[in-house]
């Protein structure tokens, strides 16, 4: 399962990462130290108030199901509190399994596209291998070179992107610095936005169909009224980091964040609500 199941985890995302007091976190916490909001049963004591209490960074984190994998499979349900002798090892294993699960998620997403049918065999072979690696015992997981797996997968995912975007080729903006940019009048359908910095960018009512968004930083991006229903490789934590509303269209399988506006944007003069400019 590549989606977080917090009920079957031991609050690993509340312990393993370090964070500094900032706009994303109200306090400074060292790596491997439990957040003071973590309860005895591994639930977050302020889960429904994270943004109001100064912890928006927690709401944009996604373990891709690595938490329950480590908790229930790697360690067979033994938690770090009742088995403190495993704590440091478990904390070191968790980010490795998370990396594997994130890559598995992208490979699974790639197989969803009919245009990439010619690559499905290669994608499946790599998926099977990564799933096997994620199930290894702790000592073997700690010895893994996860970066080499990403290096192997990246060209394959790039080819999938090229095949899918071929039906509506867009601009090449891989890694572009678009921080705070007003992109409302830009044609971004089919764009290559891999690793692009879209922090605070204005993407209101923009058609991002078939746009490749692997690694794109969408923190604070204005997606109100934008169409991301066909966007490639868009993750839940990217969506959570952005701002949207009821008119924002998301791919199947992604949830609309609770902090998004509950009102749709006002239609511009001369345009009916819900219609789009011809491109």
């Amino acid at each position: 399962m590549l989606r977080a199941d917090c009920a079957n985890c031991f609050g690993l995302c509340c312990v393993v990462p370090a964070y500094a007091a900032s706009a994303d976190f109200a306090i400074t916490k060292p790596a491997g130290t439990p957040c003071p909001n973590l309860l005895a049963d591994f639930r977050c004591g302020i889960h429904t108030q994270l943004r109001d209490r100064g912890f928006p960074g927690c709401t944009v984190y996604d373990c891709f199901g690595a938490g329950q994998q480590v908790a229930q499979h790697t360690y067979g349900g033994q938690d770090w509190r009742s088995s403190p002798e495993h704590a440091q090892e478990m904390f070191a294993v968790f980010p490795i399994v998370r990396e594997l699960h994130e890559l598995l998620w992208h490979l699974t997403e790639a197989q969803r596209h009919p245009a990439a049918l010619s690559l499905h065999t290669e994608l499946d072979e790599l998926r099977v291998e990564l799933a096997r690696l994620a199930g290894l015992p702790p000592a073997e997981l700690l010895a893994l070179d996860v970066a080499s797996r990403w290096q192997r997968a990246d060209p394959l995912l790039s080819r999938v992107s090229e095949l899918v975007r071929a039906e509506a080729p867009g601009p090449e903006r891989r890694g572009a610095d678009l921080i705070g940019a007003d992109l409302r009048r830009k044609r971004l359908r089919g764009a290559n936005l891999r690793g692009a910095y879209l922090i605070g960018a204005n993407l209101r009512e923009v058609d991002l169909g078939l746009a490749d968004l692997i690694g794109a930083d969408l923190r604070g991006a204005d997606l109100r009224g934008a169409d991301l229903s066909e966007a490639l490789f868009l993750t839940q934590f990217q969506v959570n980091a952005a701002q949207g509303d009821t008119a924002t269209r998301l791919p199947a399988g992604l949830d609309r964040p609770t902090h998004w506006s509950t009102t749709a944007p006002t239609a511009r003069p001369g345009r009916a609500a819900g219609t789009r400019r011809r491109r």
Side-chain angles (χ1 to χ4, degrees):
M1 182 178 180
L2 301 175
R3 187 162 183 156
D5 179 5
C6 298
N8 283 303
C9 182
F10 301 141
L12 292 173
C13 66
C14 304
V15 181
V16 177
Y19 47 75
S22 62
D24 291 321
F25 299 101
I27 61 172
T28 294
K29 185 191 82 64
T33 302
C35 172
N37 297 309
L38 185 64
L39 303 177
D41 62 359
F42 303 112
R43 292 183 302 115
C44 173
I46 61 169
H47 180 69
T48 60
Q49 302 171 301
L50 283 168
R51 287 184 171 270
D52 295 336
R53 299 283 288 273
F55 290 86
C58 295
T59 69
V60 301
Y61 182 84
D62 190 345
C63 76
F64 294 96
Q68 68 262 26
Q69 172 72 20
V70 171
Q72 303 302 328
H73 297 278
T74 312
Y75 287 91
Q78 290 185 309
D79 68 80
W80 50 270
R81 279 184 173 142
S82 60
S83 302
E85 68 276 13
H86 295 310
Q88 294 308 311
E89 181 187 71
M90 186 183 298
F91 299 161
V93 162
F94 172 66
I96 294 171
V97 176
R98 185 199 173 279
E99 283 282 305
L100 292 171
H101 272 224
E102 182 177 359
L103 185 47
L104 274 167
W105 185 92
H106 282 97
L107 293 170
T108 302
E109 177 70 6
Q111 282 192 301
R112 188 175 63 82
H113 300 285
L117 183 61
S118 61
L119 299 175
H120 281 198
T121 298
E122 289 181 72
L123 290 166
D124 200 50
E125 288 175 353
L126 187 52
R127 281 181 62 248
V128 170
E129 177 186 341
L130 292 172
R132 179 186 66 80
L133 294 176
L136 290 174
E140 294 182 50
L141 281 167
L142 291 172
L144 278 181
D145 179 7
V146 181
S148 67
R149 269 68 186 189
W150 275 98
Q151 290 168 2
R152 178 181 166 191
D154 188 62
L156 190 56
L157 293 173
S158 292
R159 286 159 60 195
V160 170
S161 174
E162 290 166 3
L163 288 170
V164 175
R165 292 187 295 112
E167 65 179 75
E172 289 290 326
R173 302 306 304 271
R174 182 169 186 164
D177 182 352
L178 299 169
I179 297 175
D182 186 347
L183 303 172
R184 287 174 295 175
R185 298 182 184 278
K186 300 294 184 180
R187 183 188 182 280
L188 294 178
R189 182 172 178 82
N192 183 357
L193 292 168
R194 285 183 161 222
Y197 296 95
L198 293 160
I199 302 168
N202 190 337
L203 292 159
R204 290 189 68 174
E205 301 186 30
V206 172
D207 182 0
L208 288 162
L210 305 183
D212 185 342
L213 293 169
I214 282 186
D217 194 334
L218 292 169
R219 285 177 294 170
D222 188 347
L223 298 177
R224 287 176 290 176
D227 187 354
L228 298 100
S229 59
E230 297 179 287
L232 305 183
F233 304 119
L234 180 67
T235 64
Q236 186 67 56
F237 71 83
Q238 286 174 303
V239 170
N240 292 349
Q243 298 293 326
D245 60 13
T246 56
T248 305
R249 298 180 61 190
L250 296 174
L254 296 187
D255 298 325
R256 193 175 303 276
T258 56
H259 69 272
W260 278 14
S261 171
T262 56
T263 58
T266 303
R268 298 177 193 170
R271 293 177 61 200
T275 62
R276 296 190 174 278
R277 182 187 300 111
R278 291 181 179 270
R279 298 181 184 275

